[in-house]
Amino acid sequence: IDSATAWANNQAKSITTKIYAEAADIKEQVEKEQALKGNKFIPLENREIIALIAYLQRLGTDIKTTDVQTASNN
């Protein structure tokens, strides 16, 4: 739990890096937006869409597991 924020930030950076690698046009658009908005700019890794992608990725990995842990069997 102590490292949850760092773990989430690393995951967000990883997702953003993959998006930029696969879609150069998105990177260009984000850079244009940064130039226009200045200090009101929100980096892609800090946006809700990245959190949603991370959540969906996690669902995809959890759904494949057969070992379900609950509070009662821990």
Side-chain angles (χ1 to χ4, degrees):
I1 292 176
D2 293 338
S3 61
T5 301
W7 182 81
N9 289 338
N10 287 338
Q11 186 179 18
K13 288 177 185 177
S14 174
I15 292 169
T16 302
T17 300
K18 288 178 184 176
I19 289 172
Y20 287 160
E22 294 178 14
D25 58 323
I26 292 177
K27 184 175 183 176
E28 291 172 10
Q29 183 62 34
V30 170
E31 288 171 351
K32 287 179 187 177
E33 183 182 337
Q34 183 178 13
L36 290 174
K37 290 190 175 183
N39 63 353
K40 293 185 179 186
F41 173 74
I42 300 172
L44 186 59
E45 61 267 10
N46 293 343
R47 297 184 189 191
E48 290 179 359
I49 189 66
I50 301 300
L52 179 60
I53 291 169
Y55 173 73
L56 292 173
Q57 286 178 340
R58 184 64 193 185
L59 272 180
T61 59
D62 286 349
I63 205 165
K64 294 176 188 174
T65 186
T66 57
D67 183 28
V68 177
Q69 292 192 6
T70 63
S72 61
N73 69 1
N74 283 342

